[in-house]
């Protein structure tokens, strides 16, 4: 064991393919650094640039002004592990291996974006929350899935605790000065001695990673846990060192803490951008910011208090828009045009092919996403998406959703009756128009059937795919 010291308007577009050659827009001899910052349970409406009025997010708002802000971008799922699996593998939850929140390891054949970029000569780092395996040095450990460096939480329940007694560096347990009485098997619990805040350690490690690899292409996946709740702390699960600018508001304590978490996240995104500028790397680095799913109702937080879903229906664990539509801000000075509000349809499955094209790296395995590089660079040439966006969900009541153009189909439970919404007129999904469009409903059901492949894992509850009706 070691002690870790505490230191301080694009077109609606698509291009479908399963392999990608070297890009023409980005010189293959000089690939950019790629940084993907992922928030945890941050809602579509939690940032000022997405309409938030009370939580201060000046750094992300500035990033949106200096880059591209997407308004129709989707997470891979409505909970942590499957959403991250989609982000890493480029396969949606009808195809990917990890489709729910359970302790399973990615397999050797499950190719990640880190493996694709590493083949191109990138040094790769994951800092923060993984949740896709490696619990007993198994096949899903980040170091076995393309990441040269890992620091953080392997287990997503461990990641609930912002003051853990340990974190993991590579495969080594690193002891922290926090004390967690009655600690759970996976490191979960509530600390009574709170000295090392994990989010701050992740920022420290990210800054060091950038400094350390400033002279070669790098990929950094910075998977923060803010503003997820510590579920083991009950109604006091919004753990943050201080309430900052919100201490004197007349809000409930949990909402002060939630806002303080989001502003702390915002501050540290600004610190990373400042480090890239200091090292003269900002024009050589594509920076992505997003969230893994919609806002939560956990730890005493009420997502309605700040209108965290941004006027959309649903929250985390819903496949309505509020559960899966998330912020995406992309900044690359000199390449991504500044101040663009992008209505293009995109989702987590697009990240792997996009990163591969930016790097000039081939992709040899099937993916469900498409490269968004032409849209990011403000160039013409993206073709229509060949397949719709598709989601499956396996907690409590199962669900499916599919988006085709402006139409969104939702099934609760899976393979049940379809609800149909026209998002161009009804982004809040208030008006089910399924009865008015029976032929379209049948087409969307057929597309759902085509998108679903049986899983080798026993996701609950198990139901057969019905015959056409």
């Amino acid at each position: 064991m070691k002690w870790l010291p505490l230191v301080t308007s694009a077109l609606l577009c698509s291009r479908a393919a399963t392999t990608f050659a070297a890009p023409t827009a980005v010189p293959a001899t000089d690939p950019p650094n790629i940084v993907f910052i992922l928030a945890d349970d941050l809602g579509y409406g939690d940032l000022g640039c997405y309409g938030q009025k009370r939580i201060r997010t000046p750094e992300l708002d500035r990033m949106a002004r200096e880059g591209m802000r997407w308004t129709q971008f989707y997470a891979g799922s409505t909970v942590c592990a499957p959403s991250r699996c989609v982000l890493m593998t480029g396969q949606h939850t009808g195809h990917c291996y990890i489709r729910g929140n359970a302790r399973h390891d990615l397999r050797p054949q499950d190719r990640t974006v880190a493996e694709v970029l590493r083949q191109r000569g990138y040094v790769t780092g994951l800092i923060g929350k993984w949740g896709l395996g490696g619990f007993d040095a198994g096949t899903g450990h980040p170091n076995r899935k393309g990441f040269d460096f890992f620091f953080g939480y392997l287990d997503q329940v461990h990641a609930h605790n912002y003051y853990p007694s340990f974190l993991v560096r590579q495969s080594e347990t690193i002891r922290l000065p926090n004390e967690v009485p009655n600690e759970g098997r996976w490191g979960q619990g509530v600390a009574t001695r709170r000295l090392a805040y994990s989010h701050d350690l992740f920022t420290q490690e990210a800054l060091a990673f950038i400094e350390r690899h400033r002279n070669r292409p790098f990929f950094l996946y910075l998977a923060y846990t803010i503003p997820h709740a510590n579920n083991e702390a009950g109604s006091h699960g919004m753990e943050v060192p201080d309430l900052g600018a919100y201490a004197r508001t007349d809000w409930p304590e949990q909402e002060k803490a939630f806002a303080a978490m989001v502003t702390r996240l915002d501050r540290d995104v600004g610190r990373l951008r400042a480090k890239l500028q200091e090292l003269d790397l900002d024009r050589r680095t594509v920076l992505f910011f997003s969230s893994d799913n919609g806002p939560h109702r956990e730890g005493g937080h009420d997502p309605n208090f700040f209108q965290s879903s941004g006027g959309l229906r649903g929250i985390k664990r819903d496949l309505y828009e509020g559960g899966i539509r998330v912020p995406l801000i992309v900044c690359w000075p000199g390449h991504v045009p500044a101040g663009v509000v992008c209505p293009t349809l995109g989702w987590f499955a697009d990240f792997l092919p996009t990163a591969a094209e930016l790097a000039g790296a081939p992709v040899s395995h099937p993916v469900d996403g498409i490269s968004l590089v032409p849209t990011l660079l403000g160039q013409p040439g993206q073709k229509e998406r060949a397949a719709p966006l598709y989601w499956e969900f396996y907690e409590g009541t199962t669900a499916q959703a599919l988006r085709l153009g402006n139409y969104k189909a939702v099934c609760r439970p899976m393979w049940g009756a379809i609800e149909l919404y026209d998002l161009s007129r009804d982004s809040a999904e208030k008006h089910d128009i399924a009865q008015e469009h029976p032929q379209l409903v049948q087409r969307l059901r057929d597309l759902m059937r085509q998108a679903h492949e049986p899983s080798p894992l026993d996701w609950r509850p198990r139901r057969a795919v019905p015959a056409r009706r």
Side-chain angles (χ1 to χ4, degrees):
M1 308 295 183
K2 287 187 178 180
W3 150 250
L4 180 70
L6 178 64
V7 181
T8 48
S9 115
L11 298 173
L12 183 62
C13 61
S14 308
R15 180 172 62 188
T18 57
T19 59
F20 297 88
T24 56
V26 181
T29 56
D30 188 24
N33 305 314
I34 300 171
V35 177
F36 196 106
I37 302 174
L38 187 68
D40 197 337
D41 292 2
L42 182 80
Y44 185 78
D46 279 329
L47 304 180
C49 54
Y50 282 89
Q52 178 56 233
K53 302 300 183 185
R54 295 195 282 179
I55 301 175
R56 303 175 189 178
T57 56
E59 296 296 337
L60 285 161
D61 297 346
R62 181 168 67 89
M63 182 176 164
R65 292 193 301 271
E66 296 175 358
M68 182 178 289
R69 179 173 68 85
W70 292 57
T71 58
Q72 297 194 82
F73 190 79
Y74 291 88
S77 182
T78 188
V79 291
C80 296
S83 191
R84 293 156 197 268
C85 187
V86 175
L87 180 68
M88 288 292 100
T89 67
Q91 296 181 327
H92 63 54
T93 47
H95 293 154
C96 68
Y97 185 61
I98 296 178
R99 305 184 189 183
N101 273 340
R103 290 181 179 87
H104 295 291
D105 280 83
L106 287 177
R107 305 162 297 178
Q109 63 265 40
D110 297 319
R111 301 281 290 171
T112 70
V113 62
E115 291 174 286
V116 170
L117 296 179
R118 193 177 181 186
Q119 285 186 328
R120 181 68 176 88
Y122 278 66
V123 60
T124 55
L126 162 60
I127 296 168
K129 175 177 171 179
W130 177 232
L132 300 178
F135 313 112
D136 296 303
T139 59
H141 191 281
N143 293 151
R144 295 186 177 183
K145 300 312 302 173
F147 287 101
D148 299 303
F149 177 76
F150 167 66
F151 175 74
Y153 301 99
L154 290 172
D155 181 73
Q156 55 200 0
V157 175
H158 183 205
H160 292 173
N161 188 358
Y162 284 87
Y163 294 95
S165 68
F166 70 93
L167 289 170
V168 179
R169 185 191 298 277
Q170 305 295 68
S171 295
E172 185 176 7
T173 299
I174 304 297
R175 287 293 172 186
L176 301 177
N178 306 316
E179 293 181 3
V180 184
N182 303 312
E183 186 176 68
R185 176 185 176 188
W186 304 101
Q188 72 270 34
V190 182
T192 53
R193 187 171 186 246
R194 303 180 174 193
L195 296 176
Y197 191 61
S198 61
H199 170 89
D200 293 348
L201 299 180
F202 296 154
T203 300
Q204 165 195 326
E205 290 283 347
L207 294 171
F209 180 90
I210 292 170
E211 180 87 46
R212 193 161 62 243
H213 301 294
R214 60 192 296 179
N215 294 321
R216 62 176 293 189
F218 61 78
F219 166 52
L220 173 60
Y221 173 33
L222 179 53
Y224 282 130
T225 52
I226 282 178
H228 198 292
N230 184 349
N231 294 349
E232 283 64 49
S235 61
H236 299 283
M238 304 312 300
E239 295 183 327
V240 67
D242 62 75
L243 300 178
Y246 310 101
R248 296 185 179 181
T249 65
D250 59 358
W251 306 342
E253 288 299 305
Q254 295 91 336
E255 307 307 345
K256 295 179 184 180
F258 179 87
M261 293 173 84
V262 174
T263 296
R264 197 178 198 91
L265 167 68
D266 177 78
R267 176 201 70 184
D268 290 341
V269 171
R271 291 177 64 191
L272 262 73
R273 293 192 70 203
K275 172 61 71 173
L276 292 171
Q277 293 171 350
E278 172 193 329
L279 299 177
D280 197 26
L281 294 177
D282 55 321
R283 298 179 72 86
R284 294 163 49 195
T285 303
V286 191
L287 180 61
F288 297 80
F289 176 88
S290 191
S291 175
D292 66 343
N293 48 248
H296 64 75
R297 189 188 299 277
E298 297 163 1
H301 170 58
D302 179 0
N304 294 320
F305 188 84
F306 294 113
Q307 299 183 10
S308 290
S309 294
L312 303 175
R313 178 180 178 180
I315 59 172
K316 179 181 179 180
R317 295 186 176 85
D318 291 322
L319 288 181
Y320 295 111
E321 293 292 282
I324 53 178
R325 194 187 292 199
V326 292
L328 175 69
I329 305 172
V330 185
C331 192
W332 186 13
H335 299 272
V336 172
V340 172
V341 177
C342 179
T344 300
L345 193 63
W347 63 334
F348 273 19
D350 296 332
F351 177 61
L352 187 151
T354 299
E357 183 164 353
L358 288 167
V363 179
S364 58
H365 69 285
V367 295
D368 296 308
I370 54 102
S371 172
L372 300 174
V373 167
T375 298
L376 290 175
L377 300 183
Q379 297 176 345
Q382 284 212 257
K383 299 177 182 178
E384 291 188 1
R385 196 178 289 273
L389 278 57
Y390 177 73
W391 299 265
E392 297 179 359
F393 183 56
Y394 292 88
E395 287 187 20
T397 301
T398 61
Q400 295 163 288
L402 181 144
R403 179 161 178 180
L404 179 68
N406 289 326
Y407 289 104
K408 168 93 172 288
V410 179
C411 283
R412 296 183 305 159
M414 286 182 67
W415 312 115
I418 283 182
E419 303 168 27
L420 179 64
Y421 303 97
D422 181 351
L423 297 181
S424 67
R425 301 180 179 182
D426 180 25
S427 62
E429 294 168 296
K430 293 181 178 180
H431 307 290
D432 179 1
I433 58 174
Q435 292 187 353
E436 302 169 28
H437 302 278
Q439 291 182 329
L440 177 58
V441 166
Q442 184 59 61
R443 181 187 176 199
L444 296 177
R445 187 178 297 282
D446 290 343
L447 289 171
M448 285 184 173
R449 189 177 298 108
Q450 294 168 19
H452 171 81
E453 291 181 356
S455 168
L457 297 174
D458 187 20
W459 297 111
R460 302 174 294 111
R462 200 171 182 83
R463 298 188 61 172
V465 179
R468 179 186 174 95
R469 68 177 190 273

